[in-house]
Amino acid sequence: EVEDWLSRRDWTIGDEELAGGLKDEVAALASSAARSLAEAHLAQAARDAALLPMPVLTAALADEGVDAFGIAGALGLEPMVVMRRLAAVPALGVGLVICDASGTLTFRKPTAGFALPRFGAACPLWPLFTALGQPRQPVEALVESAGQGMRSFRVQAWCDSRRADGPRGPELRQAAMLVLPAGRTSAPPLVVGSSCRVCPRPDCPARREPTILSEAG
């Protein structure tokens, strides 16, 4: 429900709108769970906007291009803040997925040609999960989406880690993967899918269950 709401907004909430909290739109969501998730999303977006206002991001894009790690380094910000802000600029056409330590996708902003699973587990070959296993280490890769079209993408992934309730508390991880157009490159891509059940790649070494697609046998 929250994803549908954000999709109708083109995944964008203006900095000026965040000040008001979009109370009427949040109140119009049907379930209390959706309203709670929407409020949490808006609170995070407001914190990100305070750290990286849109005029500053626009200037950084002119200097660094669509490069989350480059912008983060230039401005002294956490890469995940930059990733979330880049995903909120419709003209860039980037995708963003975020997961928790279990690998469960908690945020899905699609981009054309890169399939995201609506339900269930994602492709284990995604660089998102490489980042999840090595917190605070930048991960970059060229990937190709399996299936018709076989489009290539440049992805950047990052994982944050923190201890809840002090040094002896549980470690909490959150990883994000930004999906960008690949441009021209001669590097061999990593072929990835959406999820095993709907991936047509028959020879994938990471396959955990058969596909339901007839063309994959």
Side-chain angles (χ1 to χ4, degrees):
E1 190 177 353
V2 174
E3 288 181 355
D4 287 344
W5 167 59
L6 290 171
S7 180
R8 291 193 297 271
R9 292 186 131 268
D10 202 12
W11 301 90
T12 302
I13 298 169
D15 290 8
E16 68 286 349
E17 294 179 296
L18 290 168
L22 296 174
K23 294 180 180 179
D24 291 342
E25 291 190 26
V26 172
L29 296 174
S31 66
S32 60
R35 292 190 291 273
S36 177
L37 289 170
E39 288 170 355
H41 178 84
L42 290 170
Q44 181 64 72
R47 292 192 292 270
D48 291 343
L51 290 168
L52 182 52
M54 195 55 65
V56 177
L57 177 58
T58 300
L61 282 166
D63 292 336
E64 302 291 335
V66 188
D67 179 354
F69 296 137
I71 293 173
L75 299 179
L77 294 171
E78 289 293 321
M80 201 170 291
V81 172
V82 179
M83 289 180 176
R84 288 190 295 255
R85 290 295 277 166
L86 290 174
V89 182
L92 299 180
V94 303
L96 179 68
V97 289
I98 299 174
C99 74
D100 63 15
S102 73
T104 300
L105 300 186
T106 58
F107 181 82
R108 305 171 182 84
K109 187 220 169 185
T111 188
F114 192 90
L116 303 179
R118 185 65 174 172
F119 304 103
C123 174
L125 295 179
W126 280 5
L128 173 73
F129 303 119
T130 302
L132 186 61
Q134 49 187 53
R136 308 197 66 78
Q137 297 295 316
V139 176
E140 299 184 78
L142 178 68
V143 303
E144 191 173 79
S145 185
Q148 294 183 349
M150 299 289 285
R151 295 180 59 177
S152 296
F153 299 88
R154 180 169 61 94
V155 300
Q156 297 181 318
W158 178 264
C159 176
D160 281 338
S161 173
R162 64 183 178 87
R163 291 280 177 182
D165 304 323
R168 289 178 173 156
E171 181 191 17
L172 302 180
R173 294 186 183 186
Q174 184 183 59
M177 182 174 76
L178 196 68
V179 184
L180 310 123
R184 293 185 177 181
T185 177
S186 59
L190 170 68
V191 179
V192 301
S194 167
S195 66
C196 288
R197 291 291 279 166
V198 293
C199 178
R201 182 182 175 188
D203 59 345
C204 178
R207 179 172 292 285
R208 61 179 170 265
E209 61 180 324
T211 182
I212 61 173
L213 300 180
S214 59
E215 59 266 35

